[in-house]
Amino acid sequence: MNCFVGETERDLAAAVAAWSAGLGARISAAEKAGAIPREVIAELGPLGVLRMSVPEADGGLGASAVAFALVLEELAAAWASLAVGVAVNSGIVIGTIVRNGTVEQRRRWLPQLTDGSGLGAFALSEPTSGSDAASLRAAARRDGDGWVLDGRKQFITNARYAPVAIVFARVGAPDPRKASAGITAFLVPLAAPGVSVGPAERKLGLRASDTSALILDGARVGADAVLGEVGKGFALAMAGLDGGRINIAAQSIGIAKAALRRARSYAKERRQFGRPIADFEGVRFPLAALEAQVDAARLLMLRAAWLRDRGRPFTREAAMAKLYASEMAQRATHAAVQTLGGNGYMREYDVERYARDGRATTIYEGTSEIQRLVIARSLLAA
Ligand SMILES: Cc1cc2nc3c(=O)[nH]c(=O)nc-3n(C[C@H](O)[C@H](O)[C@H](O)COP(=O)(O)OP(=O)(O)OC[C@H]3O[C@@H](n4cnc5c(N)ncnc54)[C@H](O)[C@@H]3O)c2cc1C
């Protein structure tokens, strides 16, 4: 029983959990190869996952933020690399286009981001600007009817799968009085002249998820590439991240849930000192405490998603959910490795992957320190 979740939401999450259960050996092969196979992304199209967050009027399912979070939790429990790609595409990218795009922009890009032919990208970070995103250096200038963009975006999820990236670049000179001045969002087709993708990063975890640089070298886009208004891109990025944080909380919960599930079953089977190790308080108490923390994280996540669905402010609640869930995922995945002992450290058992994959959740879409800053700002505002 959960007061935030209705039957439709439960059914959608169950359908995705059933589909994910069939991924089987494709996961370890893809993690080894360092790429999500195109066929898997293609399956997500007919499954409907990619268009959940698109309103019905735009051809989507118009599902709630609660439903999307629960679906991401299930996807992450099966395969975090796929969940992060879906979260970026169908959460922050589609969400930003739905909220800010013109009818033409929605008609052009939403079908390509939902049919399984690719996954969209959100390009904010740069080599010299991460947490301090407003200090970005990518620049855009008008040229005839369109725009020319120059700069380098770093650590961009889905870059090599993306038909389009939302790229944040500054129009005009930086203003020392307002760091975010001039920042504008552009819908940049990856096929546009002057756009290229750098080599895939080699990462601790999420190895099948693509994380690459996006290079803009005199990249040319049309006048219709501006998303929202010129100079208003920073607010648009921050609004996107607010929603994105609910989805990172969902990923964290999915990863933690899967790790603890594995740890529980192992603890019941593995025998030492003549009994299952699950009989020892040193083993069972951490698992019990972490199960409570998974539930607490899920309630924080659902509260933020529920507020969002009702059009109420949710910035602080999303930051709390992301902070708590991502840090909980560190404790849960490490406890799972410990429960499996030496086997926990070995690749045959999934828990080492959960620990590696979960590590990213306290970093992307705003580090834990930045979440504390967001929460403190709202708590301590004059
Ligand atoms: C796997 C992965 C995928 C990613 N995908 C994307 C993507 O799709 N699109 C995108 O734009 N970016 C993406 N990123 C980038 C990510 O959002 C940034 O890495 C993150 O915001 C942190 O920025 P940074 O790495 O530059 O660290 P920095 O900002 O340099 O921070 C370094 C450390 O300093 C701390 N710190 C910084 N400022 C403060 C402060 N004011 N107070 C206290 N502590 C502070 C940070 O919390 C951190 O611990 C991805 C990153 C990873 C790892």
Side-chain angles (χ1 to χ4, degrees):
M1 161 52 199
N2 189 320
C3 56
F4 293 111
V5 183
E7 205 176 316
T8 316
E9 282 135 344
R10 246 191 304 273
D11 288 351
L12 282 166
V16 170
W19 175 81
S20 310
L23 286 166
R26 287 196 281 178
I27 297 175
S28 50
E31 288 292 317
K32 206 167 168 194
I36 299 170
R38 288 269 179 187
E39 316 85 80
V40 174
I41 299 172
E43 284 178 36
L44 293 172
L47 191 65
V49 168
L50 301 179
R51 61 193 176 95
M52 278 185 75
S53 47
V54 175
E56 283 172 302
D58 287 315
L61 298 182
S64 63
V66 164
F68 188 55
L70 292 174
V71 160
L72 280 178
E73 179 186 324
E74 293 302 341
L75 268 187
W79 191 7
S81 289
L82 184 62
V84 66
V86 171
V88 169
N89 178 77
S90 303
I92 198 162
V93 173
I94 286 183
T96 305
I97 295 175
V98 164
R99 280 191 303 280
N100 303 284
T102 60
V103 173
E104 290 73 31
Q105 287 171 332
R106 297 204 305 271
R107 263 195 211 130
R108 178 173 179 195
W109 292 116
L110 293 177
Q112 297 188 54
L113 296 171
T114 54
D115 63 5
S117 59
L119 295 171
F122 186 85
L124 180 63
S125 304
E126 298 182 3
T128 54
S129 62
S131 302
D132 181 14
S135 67
L136 61 79
R137 293 182 181 175
R141 62 182 163 82
R142 282 186 199 275
D143 185 66
D145 279 351
W147 295 85
V148 173
L149 278 69
D150 284 285
R152 187 183 178 94
K153 295 293 176 179
Q154 176 172 263
F155 302 157
I156 306 307
T157 301
N158 294 339
R160 67 193 58 250
Y161 299 114
V164 67
I166 300 178
V167 173
F168 295 87
R170 196 181 308 273
V171 175
D175 179 347
R177 289 160 306 164
K178 192 179 179 213
S180 62
I183 294 178
T184 303
F186 292 88
L187 283 162
V188 176
L190 270 277
V195 179
S196 59
V197 175
E201 299 287 351
R202 298 173 65 236
K203 304 192 293 293
L204 172 69
L206 299 173
R207 290 184 181 164
S209 164
D210 178 46
T211 314
S212 302
L214 192 64
I215 300 145
L216 306 153
D217 185 9
R220 293 192 158 272
V221 292
D224 59 353
V226 174
L227 183 59
E229 288 175 53
V230 172
K232 300 276 171 67
F234 193 68
L236 193 144
M238 293 303 111
L241 287 170
D242 275 346
R245 285 169 186 160
I246 300 175
N247 301 332
I248 306 300
Q251 279 172 42
S252 310
I253 295 162
I255 293 168
K257 178 169 81 174
L260 292 175
R261 193 159 51 202
R262 191 79 188 82
R264 268 200 314 274
S265 66
Y266 186 91
K268 287 196 274 183
E269 281 161 23
R270 173 73 174 170
R271 297 179 72 86
Q272 289 293 283
F273 301 97
R275 330 156 54 170
I277 59 168
D279 282 2
F280 302 123
E281 283 187 358
V283 172
R284 60 199 283 130
F285 278 14
L287 297 182
L290 282 160
E291 207 57 37
Q293 293 174 38
V294 169
D295 278 8
R298 189 180 295 106
L299 285 169
L300 284 174
M301 171 193 83
L302 291 171
R303 177 181 68 167
W306 184 89
L307 287 170
R308 184 182 192 185
D309 283 333
R310 274 145 196 82
R312 309 238 300 253
F314 66 96
T315 299
R316 187 207 297 189
E317 289 78 6
M320 286 179 168
K322 201 253 181 195
L323 173 64
Y324 185 80
S326 62
E327 304 235 324
M328 175 279 294
Q330 312 311 308
R331 297 189 291 275
T333 54
H334 282 259
V337 170
Q338 195 69 16
T339 303
L340 270 72
N343 281 332
Y345 200 69
M346 303 302 160
R347 290 221 180 149
E348 294 90 292
Y349 294 80
D350 284 336
V351 291
E352 63 85 32
R353 173 167 67 83
Y354 299 135
R356 288 188 289 102
D357 290 351
R359 191 64 193 86
T361 60
T362 65
I363 298 172
Y364 51 34
E365 303 209 12
T367 62
S368 288
E369 292 74 22
I370 295 304
Q371 304 314 314
R372 290 189 186 97
L373 214 127
V374 170
I375 298 163
R377 199 182 287 144
S378 99
L379 280 178
L380 303 169

